[in-house]
Amino acid sequence: MKKIFLHVVLLVTSSTSLLAQGTDPVKLDMLRAPSSPAANLLGFATTDIDRPTDISAFMLSLQSASSSFTKLPSNYAVDIAPFLISGKKNSDLTTTGLQSTGFSEVFKQTFVLSAGIRNADTSEKNFNAKNTYAGFGFKFSVLRGNYDEETQKNLNAISNLQDTMLHHLMTVAKKWRNKNDPELMLLKFQLMAMTKGVTDPAQLIQITNGAEYQEIQTKINDKLQQFTDSELKEVKQELNDRIKKIAADFQTSRIGFSWDINGGISAEFVDKKFNNSKVYNAGLWQSFGYTNKTGSSFLGLVRFLYSPDKVFAKDNSINNIGNISTLDAGVRYAFSKSQSKFSCSLEGVYRSVLSSKTIAPSWRLIFNADYTILENRKINFSFGRDFDGTISKDGNLIAALTLLTGFGNKR
């Protein structure tokens, strides 16, 4: 019983080591132009309604208004996916796991914590240039659709190559286990000596999880790696190169129904002092829709916002009425062919005031386009009419140039 258990442990740990060697993380281009919840609350998100997509473990958005293209960016948003950063222990990030439609996995793979900073200049009427604004938010998907045919095809090709790699490694492992290496045999003898006389399975598990046992097992795995490297160096290099080539040439795209939940709160720091602050706004919203096989997305938005001091629906005038709540309803059409570096969209949002009949409704209309300039680097351009309609005298146009950078995209 004891010897059988030990051989099972050796086989499992050796196979785990082989799998780690043979299936290197695959770097996929998973970044899209995301609508950061914090940027949304602070009014500098490039879009309010998201398409279904995958996210980066870390996303950084730097934005400068059209009147400030010659200056350093003044608005910043950082979005972190905690379950993706913390690793595979919390979520299945394999090519199979990323295709899961179960809520638990979808939530872990799409949950984002968001933070943003806005420093207004004197040309902006929606924000006080003397103050600093900070927002915090969250976002997750309930539904996100399935991978399209092209994405599925490429992920299957990667999976098949990884299986081929694992098959080669397991063949070498059998040869290695039958190898009469004196040093290897001594290490195995040391492991067996540590469990000699132990018959209780629970005690055996405790011993095999101990530091001394794991240290010897690490030495065995190191010898296994040295052996497989010498036996399969060329094969591993060839298969890894083929995997990386496939991964570098495509982007993940999803089709079907999507449903995202967002929320957050922002604060205004008077005179840029962190000990003198007040709530700027807070909200909860959801976006939903459908993306078809041709790359067209038809999306909707319902958003509730609480704005105690200012409201965009009345030329951004000072609120002398009381606490004001607004309800937004919006639609968006977005288009991007599968694997295309370019995408564009047209979005409209109608805003009504719930807590007062004296403030007229308003609307926002914006066109967006983004283009992939480098792997996981995208540039976004947008223009349109904002809710207050006072940014430009020659047509109420606003424009923004945003660089979106993603890290942590190894899957």
Side-chain angles (χ1 to χ4, degrees), residues 215-270:
E215 182 180 354
I216 297 173
Q217 183 62 62
T218 299
K219 292 179 181 179
I220 293 176
N221 290 340
D222 288 342
K223 290 185 68 63
L224 170 60
Q225 182 170 353
Q226 293 172 9
F227 185 76
T228 54
D229 284 346
S230 63
E231 291 282 318
L232 294 175
K233 183 176 181 180
E234 293 183 1
V235 174
K236 286 178 63 178
Q237 186 63 47
E238 179 190 354
L239 292 174
N240 278 328
D241 288 345
R242 290 170 63 185
I243 290 172
K244 291 176 181 178
K245 185 178 186 304
I246 295 173
D249 291 342
F250 88 102
Q251 304 175 36
T252 59
S253 299
R254 293 186 180 271
I255 58 175
F257 290 99
S258 61
W259 180 14
D260 292 345
I261 304 296
N262 303 257
I265 187 171
S266 68
E268 180 178 2
F269 296 92
V270 181

Side-chain angles (χ1 to χ4, degrees), residues 295-306:
S296 293
S297 297
F298 304 90
L299 308 167
L301 169 77
V302 176
R303 176 173 55 195
F304 172 81
L305 284 177
Y306 166 75

Side-chain angles (χ1 to χ4, degrees), residues 4 8 279 313 329 409:
I4 294 175
V8 169
V279 173
N409 293 293

Side-chain angles (χ1 to χ4, degrees), residues 46-258:
T46 55
T47 179
D48 288 338
I49 312 174
D50 268 349
R51 295 183 66 178
T53 184
D54 296 295
I55 61 174
S56 298
F58 175 87
M59 292 174 285
L60 173 65
S61 175
L62 307 177
Q63 188 178 88
S64 178
S66 59
S67 60
S68 307
F69 278 161
T70 58
K71 301 178 182 178
L72 290 174
S74 55
N75 305 324
Y76 306 86
V78 175
D79 297 88
I80 297 175
F83 288 106
L84 303 192
I85 288 179
S86 58
K88 295 184 179 180
K89 291 182 179 180
N90 294 312
S91 181
D92 184 0
L93 303 180
T94 63
T95 53
T96 301
L98 289 170
Q99 299 175 61
S100 173
T101 56
F103 175 72
S104 176
E105 281 300 322
V106 171
F107 174 81
K108 291 177 182 178
Q109 293 169 14
T110 60
F111 181 65
V112 168
L113 295 176
S114 177
I117 294 288
R118 178 158 194 160
N119 292 292
D121 58 36
T122 55
S123 65
E124 297 182 68
K125 296 182 179 180
N126 296 337
F127 297 86
N128 190 332
K130 296 180 181 179
N131 302 337
T132 294
Y133 300 80
F136 301 91
F138 68 89
K139 174 184 173 182
F140 64 88
S141 295
V142 179
L143 300 173
R144 61 176 175 183
N146 299 311
Y147 283 134
D148 67 5
E149 185 177 346
E150 189 66 25
T151 302
Q152 187 70 57
K153 175 183 175 182
N154 284 286
L155 289 177
N156 286 340
I158 291 174
S159 181
N160 290 336
L161 288 170
Q162 290 176 330
D163 288 342
T164 301
M165 175 82 75
L166 184 58
H167 174 74
H168 283 298
L169 289 170
M170 293 301 292
T171 301
V172 172
K174 291 180 180 179
K175 180 180 178 181
W176 172 77
R177 282 196 294 271
N178 296 326
K179 189 172 180 292
N180 294 321
D181 183 339
E183 186 177 349
L184 176 61
M185 293 177 66
L186 176 61
L187 291 171
K188 289 181 178 181
F189 177 78
Q190 289 175 344
L191 291 185
M192 294 182 67
M194 291 179 64
T195 58
K196 184 177 181 179
V198 180
T199 57
D200 182 10
Q203 190 175 356
L204 282 172
I205 293 175
Q206 183 178 5
I207 293 173
T208 57
N209 288 332
E212 185 179 356
Y213 191 98
Q214 289 297 317
E215 182 180 354
I216 297 173
Q217 183 62 62
T218 299
K219 292 179 181 179
I220 293 176
N221 290 340
D222 288 342
K223 290 185 68 63
L224 170 60
Q225 182 170 353
Q226 293 172 9
F227 185 76
T228 54
D229 284 346
S230 63
E231 291 282 318
L232 294 175
K233 183 176 181 180
E234 293 183 1
V235 174
K236 286 178 63 178
Q237 186 63 47
E238 179 190 354
L239 292 174
N240 278 328
D241 288 345
R242 290 170 63 185
I243 290 172
K244 291 176 181 178
K245 185 178 186 304
I246 295 173
D249 291 342
F250 88 102
Q251 304 175 36
T252 59
S253 299
R254 293 186 180 271
I255 58 175
F257 290 99
S258 61

Side-chain angles (χ1 to χ4, degrees), residues 26-33 53-56 98 147 151 155 158 244-254 339-342 370-378 404-411:
V26 179
K27 192 169 187 180
L28 303 177
D29 185 359
M30 304 180 77
L31 181 67
R32 298 295 182 269
T53 184
D54 296 295
I55 61 174
S56 298
L98 289 170
Y147 283 134
T151 302
L155 289 177
I158 291 174
K244 291 176 181 178
K245 185 178 186 304
I246 295 173
D249 291 342
F250 88 102
Q251 304 175 36
T252 59
S253 299
R254 293 186 180 271
Q339 312 310 310
S340 174
K341 293 184 178 181
F342 174 80
D370 69 82
Y371 186 81
T372 302
I373 52 176
L374 292 171
E375 188 178 81
N376 288 301
R377 307 287 188 275
K378 294 184 180 291
L404 298 160
T405 303
F407 304 97
N409 293 293
K410 290 188 177 181
R411 300 287 185 258

Side-chain angles (χ1 to χ4, degrees), residues 340-361:
S340 174
K341 293 184 178 181
F342 174 80
S343 66
C344 60
S345 70
L346 182 64
E347 174 182 293
V349 180
Y350 180 83
R351 173 167 290 175
S352 58
V353 179
L354 299 177
S355 52
S356 174
K357 296 181 179 180
T358 63
I359 299 178

